[in-house]
Amino acid sequence: MTITFLLNGETVQVDAPPTRTLLDWLREDRGLTGTKEGCNEGDCGACTVIVTDDDGPKTLNACILFLPQLHGKAVRTVEGISGPGGKLHPVQQAMIDHHGSQCGFCTPGFVVSMACAHMKKRSDFDDQLAGNLCRCTGYAPIIRAAKAAASEPVPDWMIDTPLENVQNAHLPENTDELAAWYADHPDATLIAGATDVGLWVTKQLRDLAPVAFLHRCNDLQRIDIAKDHTHIGAGCTMTQVLEWASDHFPSYAELIRRYGSTQVRNAATIGGNIANGSPIGDNPPALIALDAKLHLRHGDMQRVINIEDFFIDYGKQDSAPGEFVEAVSIPHQPNHLKCYKLSKRFDQDISAVCGCFNISIENNHVTAARIAFGGMAGIPKRASHVEQTLIGQTWSKETIKTAQTVFSKDFQPLSDMRASAVYRLQTAENMLMRYYLESIGEKTSVLEVQP
Ligand SMILES: Cc1cc2nc3c(=O)[nH]c(=O)nc-3n(C[C@H](O)[C@H](O)[C@H](O)COP(=O)(O)OP(=O)(O)OC[C@H]3O[C@@H](n4cnc5c(N)ncnc54)[C@H](O)[C@@H]3O)c2cc1C
Ligand code: FES
Ligand code: FES
């Protein structure tokens, strides 16, 4: 597959196998060894690069980025952060001034993330750098450096423009092309953000051919607000969904803010997070609680199902060969949604338990309840018995305590490396109490409670 993109300002044309990663290509074929390999699974940020497309610059992890995903875009590695004659970028100078590096292994990734945040005038440095791990310097000097550089102008060599009108027969340009191709190649692997599929290649060394990349289907990447619902294309990244949710369902937005890292959210798509059928994906419980519908497509045929019906059993989804997720739609509704994510690390970790609650109260009585969990069964699943125990009852602590006793009818969770079955059940029950306490104005988050 031949692809064309800008690399540190120069146009390059590459003939490469579809699942060759940018990281391997940079280091092995181009000798650009500034971009480091740490984990090779999207977790450490040592391989961070800036990729600019029509939506502007964003950070991505080169270790789980396949070369065809770059077609027509502009890539800037750490070698392209300094200017002509080796002139340092303001974030590089600040890292020196503030002693932001010791062994230096993490430093290139940090510098690239900082340069991108600098360019986008972001000052939420903790979030912007949550996907970059440092094990010797510590974060305080690095954050000080990022703050110090913030007021400096963006150097002109950092401005990249994506290439125009580059075509490639193997990269569908819209959903119709994708649908026709996939119906003819039902055994193919679809690749959206590659935050799952990337690991099949780098960790499981799987051969995936044939593949189809979804990232050039712009019509899959739109969020449209209709009269009675919001339509989110399957190709929307978690960064896009986070921006939308901030205005409509802030608790869902907060859940997504803790999804992976900036780099992962810039790549991972909502369609991939649903289609992979994972029992611990963060979007499905929130979407089930919001009564979302899933739009599936096979060739010219489209069908719409309740999203919870998509998840049949562990590893089994309601999807035919050649059929793919086109969109998800969320009905407009008052915001009663609260999402609680429990994970071993606060940032950049997969949920052990993720509980999403959407409960309507009128005249102090429960009139409707949709509650869904990840991490409590082999699939993302509704707490139907708990919901039925709540509906029609007075909204009180006693009602919550009664409802807590029926969780075991809905869920018989597993013990695994993330949590024991007992812990999972108890924390799920506690989340319901948390929802109640927050509804009556008590602060429950350890990040909000003041001494
Ligand atoms: C470091 C790291 C941190 C992570 N943190 C989290 C986290 O906090 N929470 C969380 O939920 N997940 C997390 N993940 C998992 C991952 O981000 C998600 O599962 C992701 O949403 C997958 O989306 P993608 O676009 O990258 O999918 P891909 O990897 O491209 O594809 C995943 C699967 O879905 C299929 N697929 C993709 N799009 C479609 C479509 N439109 N229709 C049909 N099939 C499709 C692919 O064929 C493949 O089987 C993390 C992953 C990494 C690497
Ligand atoms: S090498 Fe760790 S994120 Fe890429
Ligand atoms: S300086 Fe060594 S890991 Fe950050």
Side-chain angles (χ1 to χ4, degrees):
M1 186 180 284
T2 304
I3 55 152
T4 310
F5 59 96
L6 277 179
L7 176 64
N8 295 330
E10 267 178 48
T11 305
V12 289
Q13 204 169 51
V14 189
D15 208 1
T19 52
R20 182 146 175 81
T21 66
L22 173 64
L23 179 64
D24 285 351
W25 179 79
L26 285 172
R27 294 179 59 85
E28 292 166 10
D29 294 20
R30 301 292 296 200
L32 292 174
T33 51
T35 307
K36 301 296 181 219
E37 178 181 322
C39 63
N40 214 15
E41 60 180 62
D43 254 324
C44 74
C47 64
T48 306
V49 294
I50 299 174
V51 174
T52 302
D53 58 19
D54 293 339
D55 295 328
K58 62 184 84 154
T59 48
L60 292 170
N61 290 316
C63 66
I64 49 171
L65 191 56
F66 298 129
L67 285 171
Q69 292 179 274
L70 299 169
H71 187 53
K73 302 182 183 176
V75 177
R76 196 155 281 273
T77 66
V78 69
E79 289 86 355
I81 298 293
S82 50
K87 190 169 174 0
L88 292 186
H89 186 288
V91 300
Q92 292 176 309
Q93 188 59 53
M95 282 288 270
I96 296 169
D97 297 344
H98 292 268
H99 308 287
S101 173
Q102 286 188 53
C103 83
F105 198 81
C106 69
T107 309
F110 268 101
V111 162
V112 173
S113 285
M114 290 160 77
C116 191
H118 178 259
M119 197 157 33
K120 296 171 90 169
K121 305 203 181 327
R122 299 292 298 238
S123 55
D124 53 340
F125 301 117
D126 285 355
D127 279 348
Q128 295 301 310
L129 301 179
N132 292 86
L133 298 190
C134 176
R135 287 293 172 262
C136 21
T137 301
Y139 296 88
I142 298 174
I143 299 286
R144 274 199 288 275
K147 282 186 184 156
S151 56
E152 297 290 328
V154 177
D156 51 9
W157 65 82
M158 290 296 295
I159 309 300
D160 283 321
T161 316
L163 300 170
E164 277 177 20
N165 301 326
V166 279
Q167 301 288 321
N168 188 307
H170 300 282
L171 297 169
E173 295 282 331
N174 56 52
T175 312
D176 290 347
E177 270 181 45
L178 170 69
W181 186 89
Y182 194 34
D184 285 347
H185 302 83
D187 295 332
T189 303
L190 300 185
I191 302 181
T195 60
D196 282 332
V197 176
L199 275 61
W200 302 352
V201 173
T202 65
K203 296 289 154 174
Q204 298 170 8
L205 310 180
R206 274 164 64 177
D207 183 3
L208 298 181
V211 298
F213 290 90
L214 273 56
H215 62 278
R216 292 184 61 89
C217 300
N218 290 336
D219 54 350
L220 268 187
Q221 294 157 15
R222 293 211 333 241
I223 298 183
D224 293 314
I225 316 267
K227 192 163 159 269
D228 57 355
H229 68 272
T230 302
H231 187 91
I232 303 179
C236 290
T237 63
M238 295 324 304
T239 301
Q240 282 175 276
V241 179
L242 170 58
E243 275 170 26
W244 167 79
S246 307
D247 291 338
H248 299 86
F249 300 105
S251 182
Y252 183 21
E254 174 60 15
L255 174 70
I256 303 173
R257 193 184 66 77
R258 288 182 50 206
Y259 181 119
S261 58
T262 301
Q263 293 93 320
V264 170
R265 291 191 295 274
N266 282 339
T269 63
I270 194 166
N273 199 233
I274 296 167
N276 69 10
S278 166
I280 47 174
D282 283 331
N283 285 285
L287 294 170
I288 294 172
L290 287 169
D291 196 14
K293 309 286 177 241
L294 195 64
H295 299 243
L296 295 156
R297 176 154 176 190
H298 184 275
D300 289 337
M301 300 220 301
Q302 289 165 305
R303 66 187 174 109
V304 182
I305 60 171
N306 291 326
I307 190 162
E308 66 244 46
D309 296 337
F310 182 67
F311 305 103
I312 297 171
D313 206 344
Y314 181 73
K316 189 171 184 318
Q317 292 86 41
D318 178 7
S319 171
E323 187 176 47
F324 63 97
V325 176
E326 194 171 25
V328 60
S329 58
I330 300 171
H332 295 332
Q333 56 197 286
N335 174 28
H336 301 306
L337 182 73
K338 289 276 184 176
C339 306
Y340 305 121
K341 170 168 176 164
L342 279 187
S343 51
K344 287 194 167 178
R345 279 187 318 221
F346 186 78
D347 278 316
Q348 173 76 315
D349 204 359
I350 305 276
S351 295
V353 177
C354 176
C356 298
F357 299 78
N358 189 6
I359 302 177
S360 306
I361 320 285
E362 279 172 36
N363 299 325
N364 204 34
H365 279 76
V366 181
T367 53
R370 292 186 68 91
I371 301 173
F373 279 87
M376 293 289 289
I379 52 172
K381 189 168 174 273
R382 264 180 96 168
S384 309
H385 287 91
V386 178
E387 291 173 2
Q388 290 313 315
T389 309
L390 290 171
I391 292 171
Q393 301 301 313
T394 315
W395 187 234
S396 66
K397 206 173 236 181
E398 287 62 45
T399 300
I400 301 297
K401 283 187 176 161
T402 307
Q404 283 180 320
T405 64
V406 301
F407 269 79
S408 54
K409 287 192 183 164
D410 285 318
F411 301 112
Q412 295 82 45
L414 291 176
S415 293
D416 65 12
M417 61 178 177
R418 290 198 173 83
S420 67
V422 173
Y423 174 85
R424 285 192 153 107
L425 204 56
Q426 190 174 344
T427 52
E429 292 165 15
N430 291 349
M431 284 178 184
L432 178 62
M433 182 60 82
R434 181 174 173 183
Y435 185 93
Y436 171 74
L437 292 173
E438 287 181 3
S439 77
I440 59 167
E442 280 192 36
K443 291 205 165 172
T444 58
S445 164
V446 287
L447 300 175
E448 291 163 8
V449 173
Q450 302 296 324

